[in-house]
Amino acid sequence: ISARRGRGCVRRALAFLGRDISSADAAELASVQVDAREAARRWWAWVESRNALRRRIRRLLLDLERSQLRAVILVGHSFLFRELFRMAIVEGAAPPEVVEQLTQRKAGH
């Protein structure tokens, strides 16, 4: 999240979430075990092609499917989420303004 790496990502995410949820929910989230090892060093390229991004999204979805986890929280850049929605939204399944919000606009924290 932003310029943070490793456990700093987790702390920053919890700080942002804590603004919008109850203290009980924030405490419960803080107790969740998070593996931040893959965010401990800079691994991303400054410029990633759309094809490379789509390959990364497909790997992510496959990893999630294979994990058999009951719940997952994804933290990522809005470029990733917009492209994920572009790949997944079925035409006519959502109102046009929702599709635009998910596929065209930058997501906030």
Side-chain angles (χ1 to χ4, degrees):
I1 295 179
S2 190
R4 305 301 188 274
R5 296 185 187 157
R7 294 295 304 165
C9 290
V10 176
R11 286 189 295 276
R12 184 169 171 142
L14 290 172
F16 273 104
L17 288 170
R19 298 176 190 168
D20 298 320
I21 61 177
S22 71
S23 58
D25 287 342
E28 184 177 350
L29 278 175
S31 71
V32 172
Q33 183 178 357
V34 175
D35 181 356
R37 291 178 293 181
E38 291 189 21
R41 61 181 172 75
R42 186 170 164 201
W43 54 268
W44 60 90
W46 285 105
V47 177
E48 183 176 34
S49 71
R50 177 170 271 178
N51 286 337
L53 178 58
R54 285 178 169 235
R55 282 192 303 273
R56 188 159 57 100
I57 289 170
R58 284 191 290 273
R59 283 193 310 268
L60 168 67
L61 295 175
L62 188 59
D63 288 346
L64 290 173
E65 184 179 345
R66 290 178 178 165
S67 74
Q68 299 181 11
L69 296 170
R70 212 170 44 99
V72 175
I73 297 173
L74 293 177
V75 177
H77 200 280
S78 50
F79 291 131
L80 180 135
F81 290 109
R82 284 194 308 253
E83 194 61 33
L84 171 64
F85 291 128
R86 284 185 196 114
M87 292 169 66
I89 290 179
V90 175
E91 189 173 335
E97 60 274 7
V98 172
V99 172
E100 179 186 356
Q101 177 72 32
L102 295 174
T103 63
Q104 304 299 320
R105 297 187 192 160
K106 182 180 179 200
H109 290 115

